[in-house]
Coordinates of all heavy atoms in Angstrom, one line a residue:
H92 N -10.1 18.2 8.6 CA -10.0 16.8 9.0 C -8.5 16.4 8.7 O -8.0 16.7 7.6 CB -10.9 15.9 8.2 CG -12.4 16.1 8.4 ND1 -12.9 16.6 9.6 CD2 -13.4 15.8 7.6 CE1 -14.2 16.6 9.5 NE2 -14.6 16.2 8.3
R93 N -7.9 15.7 9.6 CA -6.6 15.1 9.4 C -6.6 13.7 9.8 O -6.8 13.4 11.0 CB -5.5 15.9 10.2 CG -5.2 17.3 9.8 CD -4.0 17.9 10.5 NE -4.4 18.1 11.9 CZ -4.9 19.3 12.4 NH1 -5.1 20.3 11.6 NH2 -5.1 19.4 13.7
I94 N -6.5 12.8 8.8 CA -6.8 11.4 9.1 C -5.6 10.5 8.7 O -5.1 10.5 7.5 CB -8.0 10.9 8.3 CG1 -9.2 11.8 8.7 CG2 -8.3 9.4 8.5 CD1 -10.4 11.6 7.7
P95 N -5.0 9.8 9.6 CA -3.8 8.9 9.2 C -4.3 7.7 8.4 O -5.5 7.2 8.6 CB -3.3 8.4 10.6 CG -4.4 8.6 11.6 CD -5.3 9.7 11.0
I96 N -3.5 7.2 7.5 CA -3.8 6.0 6.7 C -2.9 4.8 7.2 O -1.7 5.0 7.3 CB -3.6 6.3 5.2 CG1 -4.5 7.4 4.8 CG2 -3.9 5.0 4.4 CD1 -4.2 7.9 3.4
F97 N -3.5 3.7 7.4 CA -2.8 2.5 8.0 C -2.7 1.4 6.9 O -3.6 1.2 6.1 CB -3.5 2.0 9.2 CG -3.6 3.0 10.3 CD1 -4.7 3.8 10.5 CD2 -2.6 3.2 11.2 CE1 -4.8 4.7 11.5 CE2 -2.6 4.1 12.3 CZ -3.8 4.9 12.4
D98 N -1.6 0.5 7.1 CA -1.6 -0.7 6.3 C -2.2 -1.8 7.1 O -2.8 -1.6 8.2 CB -0.1 -1.0 5.9 CG 0.8 -1.3 7.1 OD1 0.2 -1.5 8.3 OD2 2.0 -1.4 7.0
E99 N -2.2 -3.0 6.5 CA -2.9 -4.1 7.1 C -2.3 -4.5 8.5 O -3.0 -5.1 9.3 CB -2.8 -5.3 6.2 CG -3.6 -5.1 4.9 CD -3.5 -6.3 4.0 OE1 -2.8 -7.3 4.4 OE2 -4.1 -6.3 3.0
E100 N -1.1 -4.1 8.8 CA -0.4 -4.4 10.0 C -0.6 -3.3 11.0 O 0.0 -3.3 12.2 CB 1.0 -4.7 9.8 CG 1.2 -6.0 9.0 CD 2.7 -6.3 8.7 OE1 3.5 -5.4 9.1 OE2 3.0 -7.3 8.1
G101 N -1.3 -2.2 10.7 CA -1.5 -1.1 11.6 C -0.4 -0.1 11.6 O -0.4 0.8 12.5
N102 N 0.4 -0.1 10.6 CA 1.5 0.9 10.5 C 1.0 2.1 9.7 O 0.3 2.0 8.7 CB 2.7 0.3 9.9 CG 3.3 -0.8 10.6 OD1 3.5 -0.7 11.9 ND2 3.6 -1.9 10.0
V103 N 1.4 3.3 10.1 CA 1.0 4.5 9.4 C 1.8 4.6 8.1 O 3.0 4.6 8.1 CB 1.3 5.8 10.2 CG1 1.0 7.1 9.4 CG2 0.4 5.8 11.5
I104 N 1.1 4.7 7.0 CA 1.8 4.8 5.7 C 1.5 6.1 5.0 O 2.0 6.4 3.9 CB 1.4 3.6 4.8 CG1 -0.2 3.7 4.6 CG2 1.9 2.3 5.3 CD1 -0.6 2.7 3.5
G105 N 0.7 7.0 5.6 CA 0.4 8.3 5.0 C -0.7 9.0 5.7 O -1.1 8.6 6.8
G106 N -1.2 10.0 5.1 CA -2.3 10.8 5.7 C -3.2 11.4 4.7 O -2.8 11.7 3.5
F107 N -4.4 11.6 5.1 CA -5.4 12.3 4.2 C -6.0 13.5 4.9 O -6.4 13.5 6.0 CB -6.6 11.3 3.9 CG -7.8 11.9 3.2 CD1 -7.7 12.3 1.9 CD2 -9.0 12.1 3.9 CE1 -8.8 12.9 1.2 CE2 -10.1 12.7 3.3 CZ -10.0 13.1 1.9
G108 N -5.9 14.7 4.2 CA -6.4 15.9 4.8 C -7.5 16.5 3.9 O -7.6 16.3 2.7
M109 N -8.4 17.2 4.6 CA -9.6 17.8 3.9 C -10.0 19.1 4.7 O -10.1 19.1 5.9 CB -10.7 16.8 3.8 CG -11.9 17.4 3.0 SD -13.2 16.1 2.7 CE -13.8 15.8 4.4
L110 N -10.4 20.1 3.9 CA -11.0 21.3 4.5 C -12.5 21.2 4.4 O -13.0 21.1 3.3 CB -10.5 22.6 3.8 CG -9.2 23.3 4.3 CD1 -8.0 22.3 4.2 CD2 -9.0 24.6 3.6
L111 N -13.1 21.1 5.6 CA -14.6 21.0 5.6 C -15.2 22.3 5.2 O -16.2 22.4 4.5 CB -15.0 20.5 7.0 CG -16.5 20.1 7.1 CD1 -16.8 18.9 6.1 CD2 -16.8 19.7 8.5
F112 N -14.7 23.4 5.8 CA -15.2 24.8 5.5 C -13.9 25.6 5.2 O -13.0 25.7 6.0 CB -16.0 25.4 6.6 CG -17.3 24.7 6.8 CD1 -17.4 23.7 7.9 CD2 -18.4 24.9 6.0 CE1 -18.6 23.1 8.1 CE2 -19.6 24.2 6.2 CZ -19.7 23.3 7.2
H113 N -13.9 26.4 4.1 CA -12.8 27.2 3.8 C -12.8 28.5 4.7 O -11.8 29.1 4.8 CB -12.9 27.7 2.3 CG -12.6 26.5 1.4 ND1 -12.5 26.7 0.0 CD2 -12.5 25.2 1.6 CE1 -12.3 25.5 -0.5 NE2 -12.3 24.6 0.4
D114 N -13.9 28.8 5.2 CA -14.0 30.0 6.0 C -14.8 29.7 7.3 O -15.9 29.2 7.3 CB -14.7 31.1 5.2 CG -14.6 32.5 5.9 OD1 -14.4 32.6 7.1 OD2 -14.7 33.5 5.1
I115 N -14.2 30.1 8.4 CA -14.9 29.8 9.7 C -16.2 30.6 9.8 O -17.1 30.1 10.5 CB -14.0 30.3 10.9 CG1 -14.4 29.5 12.2 CG2 -14.0 31.8 11.1 CD1 -14.1 28.1 12.2
E116 N -16.4 31.6 9.0 CA -17.7 32.4 9.1 C -18.8 31.5 8.5 O -19.9 31.6 8.8 CB -17.5 33.7 8.3 CG -16.6 34.7 8.9 CD -17.1 35.1 10.3 OE1 -18.3 35.2 10.5 OE2 -16.3 35.2 11.2
E117 N -18.4 30.6 7.5 CA -19.4 29.7 7.0 C -20.0 28.8 8.1 O -21.2 28.5 8.1 CB -18.8 28.8 5.9 CG -18.3 29.5 4.6 CD -17.7 28.6 3.6 OE1 -18.3 27.4 3.5 OE2 -16.7 28.9 3.0
V118 N -19.1 28.4 9.0 CA -19.5 27.5 10.1 C -20.5 28.3 11.0 O -21.5 27.8 11.4 CB -18.3 27.0 10.9 CG1 -18.7 26.1 12.0 CG2 -17.3 26.3 10.0
K119 N -20.1 29.5 11.3 CA -20.9 30.3 12.2 C -22.3 30.5 11.6 O -23.3 30.4 12.2 CB -20.2 31.7 12.5 CG -19.0 31.6 13.3 CD -18.4 33.0 13.5 CE -17.1 32.9 14.4 NZ -16.5 34.2 14.5
E120 N -22.3 30.9 10.3 CA -23.5 31.1 9.6 C -24.4 29.9 9.5 O -25.6 29.9 9.7 CB -23.2 31.6 8.1 CG -24.4 32.0 7.4 CD -24.1 32.5 5.9 OE1 -22.9 32.7 5.7 OE2 -25.0 32.5 5.1
L121 N -23.7 28.7 9.3 CA -24.5 27.5 9.2 C -25.0 27.1 10.6 O -26.2 26.7 10.7 CB -23.6 26.3 8.7 CG -24.2 25.0 8.4 CD1 -25.2 25.1 7.3 CD2 -23.2 23.9 8.2
A122 N -24.2 27.4 11.6 CA -24.7 27.1 13.0 C -25.8 27.9 13.4 O -26.8 27.5 14.0 CB -23.5 27.3 14.0
E123 N -25.8 29.2 13.0 CA -26.9 30.1 13.3 C -28.2 29.7 12.5 O -29.3 29.7 13.1 CB -26.5 31.5 12.9 CG -25.5 32.2 13.8 CD -25.0 33.5 13.3 OE1 -25.4 33.9 12.2 OE2 -24.1 34.1 14.0
K124 N -28.0 29.3 11.3 CA -29.2 28.8 10.5 C -29.8 27.5 11.1 O -31.0 27.4 11.2 CB -28.8 28.5 9.1 CG -28.5 29.8 8.2 CD -28.2 29.4 6.8 CE -28.0 30.6 5.9 NZ -27.6 30.3 4.5
Y125 N -28.8 26.7 11.6 CA -29.3 25.4 12.2 C -30.1 25.7 13.5 O -31.1 25.1 13.7 CB -28.1 24.5 12.5 CG -28.4 23.3 13.3 CD1 -29.1 22.2 12.8 CD2 -28.2 23.3 14.7 CE1 -29.4 21.1 13.5 CE2 -28.6 22.2 15.5 CZ -29.1 21.1 14.9 OH -29.5 20.1 15.7
E126 N -29.5 26.6 14.3 CA -30.1 27.0 15.6 C -31.5 27.6 15.3 O -32.5 27.2 16.0 CB -29.2 27.9 16.3 CG -29.7 28.2 17.7 CD -28.8 29.2 18.5 OE1 -27.8 29.6 17.9 OE2 -29.1 29.5 19.6
K127 N -31.6 28.4 14.3 CA -32.9 29.1 14.0 C -33.9 28.0 13.5 O -35.0 28.0 13.9 CB -32.7 30.1 12.9 CG -33.9 30.9 12.6 CD -33.7 31.9 11.5 CE -34.9 32.7 11.1 NZ -34.7 33.7 10.0
L128 N -33.4 27.1 12.6 CA -34.3 26.1 12.1 C -34.7 25.1 13.2 O -35.9 24.7 13.3 CB -33.6 25.3 11.0 CG -33.5 26.0 9.6 CD1 -32.6 25.2 8.7 CD2 -34.8 26.2 9.0
D129 N -33.8 24.8 14.1 CA -34.1 23.9 15.2 C -35.2 24.6 16.1 O -36.1 23.9 16.6 CB -32.8 23.7 16.0 CG -33.0 22.6 17.1 OD1 -33.5 21.5 16.8 OD2 -32.7 22.9 18.3
K130 N -35.0 25.9 16.4 CA -36.0 26.5 17.2 C -37.4 26.5 16.5 O -38.4 26.3 17.2 CB -35.6 28.0 17.5 CG -34.5 28.1 18.5 CD -34.1 29.6 18.7 CE -33.0 29.7 19.7 NZ -32.6 31.1 19.9
E131 N -37.4 26.8 15.2 CA -38.6 26.8 14.5 C -39.3 25.4 14.5 O -40.5 25.3 14.6 CB -38.4 27.3 13.0 CG -38.1 28.8 12.9 CD -37.9 29.2 11.5 OE1 -37.9 28.4 10.6 OE2 -37.7 30.4 11.3
L132 N -38.5 24.4 14.3 CA -39.0 23.1 14.3 C -39.6 22.7 15.6 O -40.7 22.1 15.6 CB -37.8 22.1 13.9 CG -38.2 20.6 13.8 CD1 -39.2 20.4 12.7 CD2 -37.0 19.7 13.6
K133 N -38.9 23.1 16.7 CA -39.5 22.8 18.0 C -40.8 23.5 18.2 O -41.7 23.0 18.8 CB -38.5 23.2 19.1 CG -37.3 22.2 19.2 CD -36.3 22.7 20.3 CE -35.1 21.7 20.3 NZ -34.1 22.2 21.3
L134 N -40.8 24.8 17.7 CA -42.0 25.6 17.8 C -43.2 25.0 17.1 O -44.3 24.8 17.6 CB -41.8 27.0 17.3 CG -43.0 28.0 17.3 CD1 -43.4 28.3 18.7 CD2 -42.6 29.3 16.6
Y135 N -42.9 24.5 15.8 CA -43.9 23.9 15.0 C -44.4 22.6 15.7 O -45.6 22.3 15.7 CB -43.5 23.6 13.6 CG -43.2 24.9 12.8 CD1 -42.1 25.0 11.9 CD2 -44.1 26.0 12.9 CE1 -41.9 26.2 11.2 CE2 -43.9 27.1 12.2 CZ -42.8 27.2 11.3 OH -42.6 28.4 10.6
K136 N -43.5 21.8 16.2 CA -43.8 20.6 16.8 C -44.7 20.8 18.0 O -45.7 20.1 18.3 CB -42.6 19.8 17.3 CG -41.9 19.1 16.1 CD -40.7 18.3 16.6 CE -40.0 17.5 15.5 NZ -38.9 16.7 16.0
N137 N -44.4 21.9 18.8 CA -45.2 22.2 20.0 C -46.6 22.7 19.6 O -47.6 22.3 20.2 CB -44.5 23.3 20.8 CG -43.3 22.8 21.5 OD1 -43.1 21.6 21.8 ND2 -42.4 23.7 21.9
E138 N -46.6 23.5 18.5 CA -47.9 24.0 18.0 C -48.8 22.8 17.5 O -50.0 22.8 17.8 CB -47.7 25.0 16.9 CG -47.2 26.3 17.4 CD -48.1 26.9 18.5 OE1 -49.3 27.0 18.3 OE2 -47.5 27.3 19.6
I139 N -48.2 21.9 16.8 CA -48.9 20.8 16.2 C -49.4 19.9 17.4 O -50.5 19.4 17.4 CB -48.0 19.9 15.3 CG1 -47.9 20.7 13.9 CG2 -48.7 18.6 14.9 CD1 -46.9 20.1 13.0
A140 N -48.5 19.7 18.4 CA -48.9 18.9 19.6 C -50.1 19.5 20.3 O -51.0 18.8 20.7 CB -47.7 18.8 20.5
K141 N -50.1 20.9 20.4 CA -51.2 21.6 21.0 C -52.5 21.4 20.3 O -53.6 21.2 20.8 CB -50.9 23.1 21.2 CG -49.8 23.4 22.2 CD -49.6 24.9 22.2 CE -48.4 25.2 23.1 NZ -48.0 26.7 23.1
I142 N -52.4 21.5 18.9 CA -53.6 21.5 18.1 C -54.1 20.0 18.0 O -55.3 19.8 18.1 CB -53.2 21.9 16.7 CG1 -52.9 23.4 16.7 CG2 -54.4 21.7 15.7 CD1 -52.3 23.9 15.4
N143 N -53.2 19.1 17.9 CA -53.6 17.7 17.7 C -53.6 16.9 19.0 O -53.0 15.8 19.0 CB -52.8 17.1 16.6 CG -52.9 17.8 15.3 OD1 -54.0 18.2 14.9 ND2 -51.8 18.1 14.7
T144 N -54.2 17.4 20.0 CA -54.3 16.6 21.3 C -55.7 16.6 21.7 O -56.5 17.5 21.3 CB -53.4 17.2 22.4 OG1 -53.7 18.6 22.5 CG2 -51.9 17.0 22.0
T145 N -56.0 15.7 22.6 CA -57.4 15.6 23.1 C -57.6 16.6 24.2 O -56.7 17.0 25.0 CB -57.7 14.2 23.6 OG1 -56.7 13.8 24.6 CG2 -57.8 13.2 22.5
K146 N -58.8 17.1 24.4 CA -59.2 18.0 25.4 C -60.0 17.3 26.6 O -60.0 17.8 27.7 CB -60.1 19.1 24.9 CG -59.4 20.0 23.8 CD -60.4 21.0 23.3 CE -59.8 21.9 22.2 NZ -60.8 22.8 21.6
Y147 N -60.6 16.2 26.2 CA -61.6 15.6 27.2 C -61.2 14.1 27.5 O -60.7 13.4 26.7 CB -63.0 15.7 26.6 CG -63.4 17.0 26.1 CD1 -63.5 17.3 24.7 CD2 -63.6 18.1 27.0 CE1 -63.8 18.5 24.2 CE2 -63.9 19.4 26.5 CZ -64.0 19.6 25.1 OH -64.3 20.8 24.6
R148 N -61.6 13.8 28.7 CA -61.5 12.4 29.2 C -62.8 12.0 29.7 O -63.8 12.8 29.8 CB -60.4 12.3 30.3 CG -59.0 12.8 29.8 CD -58.0 12.7 31.0 NE -56.7 13.0 30.5 CZ -55.9 12.2 29.9 NH1 -56.2 10.9 29.7 NH2 -54.7 12.6 29.4
L149 N -62.9 10.7 30.1 CA -64.2 10.2 30.6 C -64.7 11.0 31.8 O -65.8 11.2 32.1 CB -64.0 8.7 31.0 CG -64.2 7.7 29.8 CD1 -63.9 6.3 30.4 CD2 -65.5 7.8 29.2
S150 N -63.7 11.5 32.6 CA -64.0 12.3 33.8 C -64.7 13.6 33.5 O -65.3 14.2 34.3 CB -62.8 12.5 34.7 OG -61.8 13.2 33.9
D151 N -64.6 14.0 32.2 CA -65.2 15.3 31.8 C -66.6 15.1 31.3 O -67.3 16.1 31.0 CB -64.4 15.9 30.7 CG -63.0 16.3 31.1 OD1 -62.9 17.0 32.1 OD2 -62.0 16.0 30.4
I152 N -67.1 13.8 31.3 CA -68.4 13.5 30.9 C -69.3 13.4 32.1 O -69.1 12.5 32.9 CB -68.5 12.3 30.0 CG1 -67.7 12.4 28.8 CG2 -69.9 11.9 29.7 CD1 -67.5 11.2 27.9
Y153 N -70.2 14.4 32.4 CA -70.9 14.4 33.6 C -72.3 13.7 33.5 O -72.9 13.7 32.4 CB -71.2 15.9 34.0 CG -70.0 16.6 34.6 CD1 -68.9 16.9 33.8 CD2 -69.9 16.9 35.9 CE1 -67.8 17.5 34.3 CE2 -68.8 17.5 36.4 CZ -67.7 17.8 35.6 OH -66.6 18.4 36.1
G154 N -72.7 13.1 34.6 CA -73.9 12.4 34.6 C -73.9 11.2 35.6 O -72.8 10.6 35.8
V155 N -75.1 10.9 36.1 CA -75.2 9.7 37.0 C -76.2 8.7 36.5 O -76.4 7.7 37.1 CB -75.6 10.2 38.4 CG1 -74.5 11.0 39.1 CG2 -76.9 10.9 38.4
S156 N -76.8 9.0 35.4 CA -77.9 8.1 34.9 C -77.3 6.8 34.4 O -76.1 6.6 34.1 CB -78.6 8.8 33.7 OG -77.7 9.0 32.6
K157 N -78.2 5.8 34.4 CA -77.8 4.5 33.9 C -77.3 4.5 32.5 O -76.3 3.9 32.1 CB -79.0 3.5 34.0 CG -78.8 2.1 33.6 CD -80.0 1.3 33.6 CE -79.8 -0.1 33.0 NZ -81.1 -0.9 33.1
E158 N -78.0 5.3 31.7 CA -77.6 5.4 30.2 C -76.2 6.0 30.0 O -75.4 5.4 29.2 CB -78.6 6.3 29.5 CG -80.0 5.8 29.4 CD -80.9 6.0 30.7 OE1 -80.3 6.6 31.6 OE2 -82.0 5.5 30.7
I159 N -75.9 7.0 30.8 CA -74.5 7.6 30.6 C -73.4 6.7 31.1 O -72.3 6.6 30.6 CB -74.5 9.1 31.2 CG1 -73.4 9.9 30.4 CG2 -74.1 9.0 32.6 CD1 -73.8 10.3 29.0
N160 N -73.7 6.0 32.2 CA -72.7 5.1 32.8 C -72.5 3.9 31.8 O -71.4 3.4 31.7 CB -73.2 4.6 34.1 CG -72.9 5.7 35.2 OD1 -72.0 6.5 35.1 ND2 -73.8 5.7 36.2
N161 N -73.6 3.5 31.2 CA -73.4 2.4 30.2 C -72.5 2.8 29.0 O -71.7 2.1 28.5 CB -74.8 2.0 29.6 CG -75.6 1.1 30.6 OD1 -75.0 0.6 31.5 ND2 -76.9 1.0 30.5
C162 N -72.7 4.1 28.6 CA -71.9 4.6 27.5 C -70.4 4.7 27.9 O -69.5 4.3 27.1 CB -72.3 6.0 27.1 SG -73.9 6.1 26.2
K163 N -70.1 5.1 29.2 CA -68.7 5.1 29.6 C -68.1 3.8 29.7 O -66.9 3.6 29.3 CB -68.7 5.8 31.0 CG -69.0 7.3 31.0 CD -68.8 7.8 32.4 CE -69.0 9.3 32.5 NZ -68.8 9.9 33.8
R164 N -68.9 2.8 30.1 CA -68.4 1.4 30.2 C -68.1 0.9 28.8 O -67.1 0.2 28.5 CB -69.4 0.5 30.9 CG -69.3 0.5 32.4 CD -70.1 -0.6 33.0 NE -71.5 -0.5 32.8 CZ -72.4 0.2 33.6 NH1 -71.9 0.8 34.7 NH2 -73.7 0.2 33.3

Side-chain angles (χ1 to χ4, degrees):
H92 293 335
R93 293 186 292 267
I94 303 169
I96 301 172
F97 301 93
D98 63 12
E99 293 179 357
E100 296 176 358
N102 299 313
V103 175
I104 58 172
F107 170 70
M109 181 173 70
L110 269 63
L111 191 60
F112 294 100
H113 292 185
D114 193 334
I115 201 69
E116 292 303 316
E117 292 180 40
V118 183
K119 291 180 181 178
E120 186 180 345
L121 188 65
E123 288 172 0
K124 286 182 179 178
Y125 170 79
E126 187 177 0
K127 184 180 178 182
L128 287 171
D129 187 52
K130 286 181 180 178
E131 288 180 357
L132 182 60
K133 287 178 180 177
L134 176 66
Y135 292 141
K136 282 183 176 179
N137 288 337
E138 288 303 311
I139 288 173
K141 288 177 186 176
I142 295 168
N143 300 315
T144 54
T145 52
K146 298 177 183 177
Y147 311 108
R148 300 179 177 276
L149 277 177
S150 57
D151 296 310
I152 299 172
Y153 285 71
V155 294
S156 64
K157 178 183 175 183
E158 291 81 4
I159 207 69
N160 284 326
N161 285 341
C162 286
K163 287 184 177 183
R164 279 193 291 270

